[in-house]
Amino acid sequence: QVQLAESGGGSVQPGASLTLSCVASGPSFKTYAMGWFRQAPGKGREFVAVISWLGGGTYYAKSTQGQFTISRDKAKNTLYLQMSNLKPEETAVYYCTACLNSPCDERLTKYANWGQGTQVTVSS
């Protein structure tokens, strides 16, 4: 069982940058790919990005490609999401999650062991 704890959310103005973190713990999590999803008010959970924990290969949603950067620090067991040029429509709760089996892509069913989420609010 993988335990995940996100942090780094907050309230920012449009155009700002923010970096989210997710600390992972528990047995065998290093064999997983790790990803980020987000859920805006009244909407379903949306894929943001995923990274292979061992190899570092990445895959992004079309909506975040070039704007967000996913990375990980294996020594610190920490996953990151660097977000730039944030827009009001990106206001959401951002969740860290572990991919169960390859290929790790945008399908929600590929993921389990969700964190509690961290709120990101983009507003002027």
Side-chain angles (χ1 to χ4, degrees), residues 1 14 23-26 29 57-58 71 77 84 92 95-96 99 110-111:
Q1 185 76 6
V23 178
S25 61
F29 81 90
T58 58
S71 62
N77 296 343
S84 63
Y95 295 93
C96 169
C99 179
K110 287 287 188 175
Y111 298 87

Side-chain angles (χ1 to χ4, degrees), residues 43-71:
K43 295 188 177 181
R45 205 160 286 194
E46 176 192 21
F47 172 75
V48 173
V50 63
I51 186 168
S52 167
W53 193 258
L54 292 180
T58 58
Y59 174 65
Y60 293 88
K62 289 182 180 179
S63 59
T64 61
Q65 179 81 43
Q67 182 188 356
F68 291 4
T69 301
I70 189 171
S71 62

Side-chain angles (χ1 to χ4, degrees), residues 80-104:
Y80 300 100
L81 184 69
Q82 296 174 274
M83 305 182 292
S84 63
N85 192 26
L86 284 162
K87 308 174 185 66
E89 55 265 37
E90 292 173 317
T91 293
V93 177
Y94 283 70
Y95 295 93
C96 169
T97 182
C99 179
L100 296 178
N101 53 77
S102 180
C104 296

